[in-house]
Amino acid sequence: MDPPTMWRATTVQACGLWPFAAGSGSPMTGVPLGQHLDTGATVCGDPISWFARARYISNPSLFMLGMPGLGKSTLINRMLIGLAATGVVPLVLGDLKPDYADTVRALGGQVISIGRGVGGINVLDPGAMGAAAARIGGDAGRALDAEAQGRVLNMIAALITVVRSRPMDDHEQSVLSAALQHLRERTPANRAPLLPDLLAVLQEGPNRVRAVTLDRGDDSRYRDAVDPLHRSLLGILDGPLGSTFASATSTRIDPRAPAVCIDISRIGEADTQLTAAAMLAAWSDGLGSVAASHALADAGLAPRRWFFTVLDELWRPLRAASGIVDRIDALTRLNRSLGLGDAKITHTLKDAEALGSESDRAKARGFVERAGMVICAGLPRTEMEELGRVVGLSEREIELVSSWSSPPGWAVAGGHEEPPGRGRFLIKVGGRPGIPLRVAITDTERRLHDTNSRWTGGQQTNGAHPGAGGGNLA
């Protein structure tokens, strides 16, 4: 049934129709998201506003789960637009479809394309952190430079993990660290080293690198120690990742841009290795630019800025290789500054259950446990029961969100029927009761965001696009 028509008026104008006064309990701080399903009151919220202004949450992070096609990315787009209006800088680090590129362009932001023949990222380039360290100088600059080099080491280890489908050995990380230090010392300050340069260092075998291999002057012992690492790096250059990570960064992130989107939609859906590697590289580069911005602000060389990062389709890199959870966790934890909110988005908790080891599954579940806000779109009942053991859900909340996962009814006379859960979400914060809301988007948002754009423009039925997705929540 359609909801009744609603009017708003002051108590002076409608005093005869307003005999009672009662608070709706809906938060009014942050981006206006939609209407409360029970009271009709406006619901506002986003991780940064609820952390920095309202103090509702102790961690400015959001974790979103839900079945495809129910509007997850539409809600995040709403947050991006609202936060950008307050001066927060949205960073979409790895846009797979793309869901956010048009929104970032409309905000006057920067869209960087990554993929074969389109653009690449040099994972040995310290990027914005290196430039900021040189500009700051002194002890603070040296500390930032050391952090930048740690991020480079972690990113190369992540690429090797993707190629091998297993983590690196501990002694290999020591070899890699020594080789990177040697490479930095002999590379001119105005040029970033490349992966082929790193291979050349391993081939040459300088004393610093040999010392950590315990070769004791025996060349065969040195080769036995570095050859597995050497082969893996060759596999990156000559394998499916080479053209994307073997050359200089095609477009650097503009530190002054009002919004940034790294578009990796040109990478094929079945190319799981390159997709995971590109997402990890985009996250490392983007979070590095955030750390650089805050370091410059701390030194009084730039204004203070807040950032909101979006890590969508989290299940893609999680499934790429065993141990990749550690790399994702390390990339995000290496961000040493405040002023950064993030949104991690995936489909279900079962994405974590598909991981190879129990330790990886526990760490992936930790992403949900540490989130300040958890937002659920439609999910099956079994999934909601599992989620309830992590964030605490009442039986009524489980039944409500489970009902949103039902498929649409059979349309009459070929008409278009919306899924019952499209545009409906439940916000959970700690032990508080959940906030159910419905999102109705504007015409501008609908033009900017249509996740099924490949299906539009063809045959239409009754004026509706077949399979219209997150762009038709209203």
Side-chain angles (χ1 to χ4, degrees), residues 263-287:
D263 180 3
I264 60 174
S265 60
R266 303 288 186 90
I267 302 174
E269 181 110 1
D271 201 343
T272 56
Q273 278 194 343
L274 182 56
T275 298
M279 290 182 75
L280 290 169
W283 295 353
S284 180
D285 198 22
L287 295 176

Side-chain angles (χ1 to χ4, degrees), residues 241-283:
L241 311 184
S243 61
T244 308
F245 300 105
S247 57
T249 299
S250 54
T251 306
R252 287 191 173 186
I253 293 177
D254 183 358
R256 297 166 298 178
V260 176
C261 173
I262 299 182
D263 180 3
I264 60 174
S265 60
R266 303 288 186 90
I267 302 174
E269 181 110 1
D271 201 343
T272 56
Q273 278 194 343
L274 182 56
T275 298
M279 290 182 75
L280 290 169
W283 295 353

Side-chain angles (χ1 to χ4, degrees), residues 149-180:
Q149 302 308 327
R151 196 177 290 271
V152 168
L153 173 63
N154 190 64
M155 188 59 234
I156 299 174
L159 287 184
I160 293 174
T161 299
V162 170
V163 170
R164 290 182 176 179
S165 297
R166 65 173 181 84
M168 289 179 62
D169 296 328
D170 55 353
H171 72 275
E172 289 180 317
Q173 296 200 44
S174 300
V175 172
L176 185 59
S177 177
L180 287 172

Side-chain angles (χ1 to χ4, degrees), residues 112-373:
I112 302 172
S113 295
I114 300 297
R116 294 188 185 92
V118 179
I121 295 178
N122 175 19
V123 293
L124 271 65
D125 188 349
M129 293 182 73
R135 184 179 173 188
I136 294 170
D139 292 340
R142 285 189 290 273
L144 184 64
D145 183 66
E147 185 180 344
Q149 302 308 327
R151 196 177 290 271
V152 168
L153 173 63
N154 190 64
M155 188 59 234
I156 299 174
L159 287 184
I160 293 174
T161 299
V162 170
V163 170
R164 290 182 176 179
S165 297
R166 65 173 181 84
M168 289 179 62
D169 296 328
D170 55 353
H171 72 275
E172 289 180 317
Q173 296 200 44
S174 300
V175 172
L176 185 59
S177 177
L180 287 172
Q181 290 177 10
H182 178 81
L183 184 58
R184 284 196 303 272
E185 292 175 357
R186 76 174 194 181
T187 302
N190 59 351
R191 184 180 80 85
L194 302 173
L195 277 178
D197 300 328
L198 181 60
L199 278 171
V201 171
L202 292 178
Q203 181 65 35
E204 174 188 339
N207 291 333
R208 170 180 287 176
V209 179
R210 287 180 177 272
V212 298
T213 64
L214 302 180
D215 70 324
R216 297 182 175 87
D218 188 341
D219 191 65
S220 63
R221 287 172 61 92
Y222 172 75
R223 294 301 165 192
D224 289 341
V226 302
D227 278 355
L229 178 60
H230 200 156
R231 282 193 294 268
S232 295
L233 290 173
L234 284 172
I236 294 175
L237 289 173
D238 299 332
L241 311 184
S243 61
T244 308
F245 300 105
S247 57
T249 299
S250 54
T251 306
R252 287 191 173 186
I253 293 177
D254 183 358
R256 297 166 298 178
V260 176
C261 173
I262 299 182
D263 180 3
I264 60 174
S265 60
R266 303 288 186 90
I267 302 174
E269 181 110 1
D271 201 343
T272 56
Q273 278 194 343
L274 182 56
T275 298
M279 290 182 75
L280 290 169
W283 295 353
S284 180
D285 198 22
L287 295 176
S289 69
V290 172
S293 174
H294 287 304
L296 289 171
D298 292 341
L301 299 175
R304 178 76 62 192
R305 306 174 85 193
W306 289 357
F307 297 84
F308 180 58
T309 62
V310 178
L311 312 179
D312 205 346
E313 299 289 347
L314 192 65
W315 62 273
R316 292 275 192 99
L318 287 180
R319 294 184 181 182
S322 175
I324 208 72
V325 178
D326 291 327
R327 298 302 168 190
I328 296 172
D329 192 47
L331 283 176
T332 53
R333 287 177 185 270
L334 271 177
N335 174 36
R336 63 178 179 83
S337 56
L338 298 176
L340 170 66
D342 71 86
K344 298 182 180 71
I345 308 168
T346 190
H347 293 150
T348 72
L349 282 180
K350 288 185 171 57
D351 294 332
E353 297 303 318
L355 300 178
S357 67
E358 178 57 36
S359 62
D360 281 354
R361 291 192 288 270
K363 291 169 186 173
R365 286 193 295 267
F367 293 152
V368 185
E369 295 169 349
R370 292 193 301 270
M373 301 170 62

Side-chain angles (χ1 to χ4, degrees), residues 5 28 35 45 85 125 136 213 217 370 384 397 435 444:
T5 305
M28 295 296 293
Q35 288 182 306
D125 188 349
I136 294 170
T213 64
R370 292 193 301 270
M384 288 302 298
E397 289 170 343
I435 304 171
T444 299

